Amino acid sequence: MNRRAAGRADGRRSSSALRRAGLLTGLLGVAGGFLTTPAAAAPADDAGTDRPVVVDVDRIEPRTVVPGAAVEVSGVLENTTDETWSDLTVRLQRGEVLTSRAELADAADDPDDVTNVVTSFQPVPGELAPGGRLPFSYLAPAEELQLDADGVYRVLVNVNGTDEEGFTERVGDLSTWLVAQPAEPATRTTVAWLWPLTDRPHRGPSGAFTDDDLAEQVASGGRLDRAVATLEQLAGVPAGAPGGSAPEVPVTLAVDPALLEELATMAAGDYTVDPPDGDPRAGTGSEAAAALLARLRGLADDHPVVALPYADVDASALVAAGRPAAVLRALPGTSAGTARQPLDDGAGLTDGATEAPTGDTGAGAGAAIVREVLEVTPRTDLAWPVGGAADPATLEVLQEGGASTVLLAEGAVTEGDRATGAVGRAATAAASVTTDGDPLPALVADGRLADLVAGVTTDPDPADGRLAEQRYLAELGALTTQLRGAGGQSVLVVPPRRVDPDPETVAAMMTDTARLPWLAPGSVASLATGPSVEVGEPVAEPAGERLSPAGVAELARAVAVRDDVAAAVSGEPATALAGYDAAIARAGSAAWRGDPAAFARTVSRVRETLLRLQDEVTLVSPAEGTYSLASSSAPLVLTVQNDLPFAVAVRVELQARGNVGLTTEDIGVQVLQPLSRTNLEVPAEVQQSGGFQVTAQLTTPSGAPLGEAVRLQVKSTAYGPVTLAITVGAAALLGLLFLRRLVRYLLARRRGTADEAPGAGDPAAPAPARSPV
C-alpha cells in the first residue's frame, strides 16, 4: 500500500528527476492555457505511479460515515528523496459509489479516476526534509465529500508539495475506502469467525521432541502467543451471573489435539529434545507452554471449541492413497479415532483422565485430549479439511468419522460464490454440497475476507493494518448495500491454519462486527440455523498444493506395515498401537505441504520404526544351531520371543528343504505374552534318519511375516517307517537265506549217511589223478 519512488539505489528520487517532472507539469499547464497554483492543483488520479513522499495513514474515522459526521484522516508523510519539500497541502477526493461486491472487486483490480468529488486542500505545517517524517491530519464534513448514497467509495489522500526550485506537483497519495451506511439499518450482515490454533508436529515416531521450535512459538511475541493475544483483546459484555461476562464476539476455536498434547507435555516439567542428527538436550519451553495453556483454558471457557483431526492429518492424501482407515484413526468424532501419544516418563496431560460426558461417548481420542487439556467438551461433528477442499471420497470418510457438517473454502465448490454474495445475491454461509450420496450440509468460508486477515501479519506498518481493516469493512459494506431490505445475510471468516496475525488489527476487525450497527456477530454454530443455499459439487485441490505423491506412497506402505502388525495383536489393536497411529498421523500432517524434503524424512523415519516393530517378535535359533529328534514322532520344540509390550497372536510355518523326510502339523494360532520367551512344540514325523534343513517363519494370523525367517538344521537318529521296513525286510531275508542254507545242509547230510559215494573206503580204489595240494 505504501509507494516508494525509484530513481536512486537508496530508493529516493533524484533532484534532477523531480525538476524534470516539475518542468513537465509547468509546460503542460502553459500549453493548456492556464497556470496552476498550489491551492487549486488537481492532477488526475495516477496513484499507481511512484511518488517521492510516502503517505502512511494510521487513523480513518469514523469506520462508518453517516450524515452529519466528520471524516478524519491522519498519519505521517515520509520524504524518500534528497530534496526538501515545502508548502505541503493535503485533500481528499473520491470516486463513484459502489453498491455490490462485484463492483468493489472491479474497482480494486482496475482503479478508475478518483475525481468524482474533491475537497479543498488543507495545509500541512512545516517542511519535509530529505528522509524526514511529518505528521498530518485532515478533517472535513461528510457533506463536503457528498457521500449521499449508501455504499462504498474509493477515497484518495492527495498530497501536493513544492520542490526547491519552486515547482508544485503531487508528491504523494494513498488510496483507501469509506463506507456509508444508515445509522439505523433495516438489515444486518452476520459475521462469524473460526480461529485456528495449529502448528506443525514437533515429535518423532517415538514421541520424543525432534526440535524445540514450539518453545519459540509460545514465548512472548511468538506466533501462537499472538494468535491467543488476538482473542484476548476482545471485549466482553455483561451476561449470566452478577459480575460475569460473555464474549462480545463469539469466535470458534479450531484446535489440533496433537498440538495440545505437545504443549501439555512441555508444561508438565522437564522434557528432552532429541534431534535425529544431533545430541539430546533439555527443552526450554516449559514455563511459556504452561502460561499459554492457562490462557487457552480461559478462552475455551468463553468461546466454542472445535477439535481438528489429530496432527491435522491430510485426509485427502491418505484417502487417495487407499488408506481411509488411517484417517478414521485420527478423527476426533468417532470411537475409531484412537491416535494419541502414550504418556511417557510420568508427564501426564492432566492430573487425571476425564470421563467422556453423556452423549459424547462415541467421540475419539482427539476429543478426549481436548477435554483433558482445555477442560471443555469440543465439537466433533464439524470437519474442516485441509485447504478447505475435499473430493467426494474424502467427504464420505469424514462423514463416516462423525462429521455432519463440512467447512469448505469458497473455491472448493463449483458455485461457492453463491454463498459469499459475490454474484449479487444474498450471502449465505450455510450451504448444501452435492455428492454421490445425499446432500451434505456445509459452511462456505469467504475467500476475500480470509485473504485480508492473512495479509495482516506480524508487526505490520500501522497504515497497512488500518487500511486492511478499512478494506474488510468495505467488503462487508458492499455486501450489505447490494441487498438493502432483502433480509439478513451471513458470512464466515476463516483465516489460514497457521495464521500469523497482528493482534491489534485483527481484534479490531472482529470487534467491528459487534460495534457497527449494520453488522452483527454470530457463532459458527448459529450459521446452521439460518437459510441454506446449494453451492454445487466439491472441487479437489490442484495436485501441486498437496503432499508430494512419492512421500504419500511411502506413507501408505508404512500404514500397510502397521496393519500387518495390528493383525497380530491379541486384544484391541487400536489401544496397543495408539502411539504408532499418532506417529503416522504426524507424518501425514498437512503442515508438511510445501516442504517435500521434510515430509520425506518424516515418513521414512516412521516406516523404519514400524518395520522394527515387526522384528520385535522373533524365533530364537538353538545355541548349537541344530535340533535333535530322539524318535520318529518327537515334537520339534521352537523358542519364540516377544519383545513388544502387548500380547501377539502368531502362526508358525515350517518347510523342509525338498519337502521330504520330515512332516509337521499346524499348531494353529499361538498367543505370546508381552515381553516373554515361549517354547512352542510342533508335532513332527520323521520318515528317515539323518539331517534336514528346515525354514521356520513366524507370521500374523493373516499370513504377514514377523521377524526374519530362520533356517534350522534338524538331526534325527531314530528309524522312520521306511528305514524300519527296510531293516525288517533285510532281517527277514537274512533269516530266509540262513534257513535255506540250513535245510540244504541237513538234506545233504542225510543223503551222505544212507548212500555213501562209490569207492569210499575201498583200498583198491584208484588214486586221484591230481594232487589236492
Side-chain angles (χ1 to χ4, degrees):
M1 296 180 186
N2 298 333
R3 303 176 179 85
R4 299 190 179 275
R8 289 179 17 151
D10 61 1
R12 298 182 181 178
R13 287 182 69 179
S14 65
S15 300
S16 59
L18 293 175
R19 283 193 292 271
R20 286 195 297 270
L23 178 60
L24 179 59
T25 302
L27 291 175
L28 290 174
V30 172
F34 62 90
L35 294 175
T36 59
T37 64
D45 178 29
D46 55 352
T49 305
D50 287 331
R51 304 290 184 186
V53 174
V54 173
V55 182
D56 283 340
V57 171
D58 55 20
R59 179 177 173 83
I60 304 174
E61 294 295 341
R63 282 166 166 76
T64 301
V65 181
V66 296
V71 177
E72 179 184 2
V73 178
S74 63
V76 175
L77 305 178
E78 181 182 358
N79 186 1
T80 63
T81 71
D82 56 4
E83 292 213 38
T84 297
W85 298 93
S86 60
D87 298 329
L88 294 164
T89 57
V90 61
R91 76 173 180 190
L92 301 181
Q93 52 193 68
R94 73 156 176 85
E96 63 182 5
V97 64
L98 308 172
T99 59
S100 70
R101 294 195 83 178
E103 292 178 351
L104 179 61
D106 291 341
D109 294 338
D110 185 19
D112 60 358
D113 187 10
V114 187
T115 56
N116 293 61
V117 174
V118 296
T119 63
S120 59
F121 277 103
Q122 295 179 8
V124 178
E127 293 183 341
L128 194 53
R133 293 171 61 86
L134 193 65
F136 78 94
S137 180
Y138 188 93
L139 184 65
E143 289 75 11
E144 189 173 350
L145 281 167
Q146 301 178 29
L147 307 177
D148 49 8
D150 296 340
V152 177
Y153 297 83
R154 177 185 283 279
V155 175
L156 186 76
V157 180
N158 182 355
V159 179
N160 275 205
T162 303
D163 65 10
E164 295 171 353
E165 298 182 4
F167 291 102
T168 298
E169 64 175 300
R170 180 188 296 182
V171 296
D173 53 36
L174 183 137
S175 178
T176 185
W177 311 90
L178 287 180
V179 180
Q181 291 292 329
E184 296 182 2
T187 59
R188 306 171 78 185
T189 297
T190 299
V191 183
W193 286 76
L194 183 83
W195 193 247
L197 291 169
T198 69
D199 202 60
R200 69 167 177 83
H202 298 274
R203 298 168 114 177
S206 67
F209 284 88
T210 57
D211 59 66
D212 207 21
D213 293 348
L214 190 56
E216 299 178 7
Q217 302 279 1
V218 301
S220 179
R223 186 186 68 82
L224 288 173
D225 169 69
R226 294 190 300 274
V228 172
T230 299
L231 302 187
E232 289 175 330
Q233 294 193 26
L234 300 178
V237 294
S245 66
E248 192 175 28
V249 180
V251 179
T252 298
L253 307 179
V255 297
D256 175 8
L259 173 61
L260 294 180
E261 262 188 350
E262 292 178 347
L263 292 174
T265 300
M266 294 167 63
D270 296 339
Y271 65 98
T272 301
V273 177
D274 190 7
D277 301 321
D279 296 329
R281 64 181 188 273
T284 61
S286 292
E287 292 185 6
L292 188 80
L293 279 180
R295 295 161 61 194
L296 268 178
R297 293 187 185 104
L299 291 175
D301 284 340
D302 294 333
H303 298 276
V305 177
V306 170
L308 295 175
Y310 186 92
D312 203 17
V313 70
D314 196 330
S316 296
L318 284 171
V319 171
R323 298 296 175 184
V327 176
L328 290 174
R329 289 191 284 268
L331 296 181
T334 171
S335 57
T338 55
R340 70 178 299 168
Q341 188 62 40
L343 304 183
D344 189 20
D345 297 331
L349 295 176
T350 61
D351 293 334
T354 304
E355 295 294 331
T358 304
D360 192 37
T361 55
I369 293 169
V370 176
R371 287 195 303 269
E372 294 165 13
V373 177
L374 298 185
E375 301 172 359
V376 296
T377 299
R379 180 177 178 180
T380 61
D381 63 339
L382 176 64
W384 179 25
V386 178
D391 55 30
T394 302
L395 292 177
E396 183 177 348
V397 173
L398 295 177
Q399 286 180 283
E400 182 182 349
S404 59
T405 304
V406 61
L407 195 161
L408 299 174
E410 182 178 350
V413 283
T414 54
E415 301 177 57
D417 52 3
R418 299 183 65 194
T420 61
V423 291
R425 58 179 296 156
T428 307
S432 175
V433 177
T434 302
T435 61
D436 295 336
D438 296 330
L440 175 63
L443 297 175
V444 179
D446 192 295
R448 294 188 206 171
L449 299 181
D451 290 342
L452 286 171
V453 176
V456 185
T457 56
T458 311
D459 299 327
D461 185 296
D464 290 348
R466 185 64 188 86
L467 295 178
E469 181 192 358
Q470 202 64 21
R471 175 61 189 274
Y472 163 79
L473 293 175
E475 291 285 349
L476 295 175
L479 181 62
T480 304
T481 303
Q482 72 183 17
L483 289 174
R484 176 70 65 203
Q489 302 180 95
S490 61
V491 294
L492 175 60
V493 185
V494 182
R497 273 168 155 77
R498 296 182 69 187
V499 62
D500 188 6
D502 170 56
E504 183 176 352
T505 300
V506 178
M509 290 179 173
M510 294 177 175
T511 303
D512 287 337
T513 62
R515 302 288 176 83
L516 300 179
W518 47 281
L519 296 176
S523 67
V524 172
S526 69
L527 297 180
T529 62
S532 176
V533 61
E534 294 183 2
V535 291
E537 301 176 352
V539 177
E541 293 176 287
E545 297 181 7
R546 305 176 188 173
L547 292 171
S548 67
V552 173
E554 182 78 357
L555 182 60
R557 288 190 285 270
V559 176
V561 174
R562 178 266 177 208
D563 291 342
D564 287 342
V565 175
V569 174
S570 178
E572 181 53 54
T575 301
L577 300 177
Y580 297 97
D581 294 337
I584 289 172
R586 290 194 295 266
S589 172
W592 303 119
R593 289 186 173 192
D595 193 351
F599 175 48
R601 290 193 299 270
T602 303
V603 171
S604 178
R605 288 195 291 267
V606 167
R607 187 162 186 251
E608 290 173 0
T609 299
L610 288 167
L611 287 173
R612 287 196 298 270
L613 187 65
Q614 287 182 312
D615 294 335
E616 295 298 309
V617 183
T618 58
L619 279 164
V620 181
S621 299
E624 298 180 356
T626 303
Y627 286 97
S628 296
L629 300 179
S631 67
S632 61
S633 60
L636 186 62
V637 180
L638 302 176
T639 301
V640 293
Q641 185 159 329
N642 176 22
D643 290 329
L644 295 173
F646 47 83
V648 294
V650 300
R651 286 183 176 275
V652 180
E653 292 184 356
L654 296 173
Q655 185 174 6
R657 186 175 182 180
N659 204 27
V660 295
L662 177 70
T663 57
T664 59
E665 294 183 14
D666 183 5
I667 60 174
V669 175
Q670 302 293 312
V671 177
L672 309 180
Q673 296 304 312
L675 305 174
S676 66
R677 179 175 287 200
T678 306
N679 291 330
L680 300 180
E681 294 187 356
V682 181
E685 190 75 24
V686 180
Q687 280 80 39
Q688 63 188 58
S689 62
F692 309 92
Q693 188 176 84
V694 177
T695 300
Q697 174 71 68
L698 286 180
T699 72
T700 67
S702 60
L706 293 171
E708 295 289 338
V710 177
R711 291 185 178 180
L712 308 173
Q713 293 295 327
V714 179
K715 184 178 180 181
S716 174
T717 58
Y719 290 112
V722 174
T723 303
L724 184 61
I726 293 174
T727 302
V728 172
L733 180 60
L734 286 174
L736 290 174
L737 290 174
F738 177 78
L739 180 62
R740 177 175 176 274
R741 189 176 183 84
L742 179 63
V743 169
R744 291 181 64 183
Y745 171 78
L746 293 175
L747 291 175
R749 186 165 180 170
R750 180 180 301 174
R751 286 195 302 269
T753 303
D755 188 13
E756 293 190 3
D762 187 357
R770 299 182 61 181
S771 172
V773 179

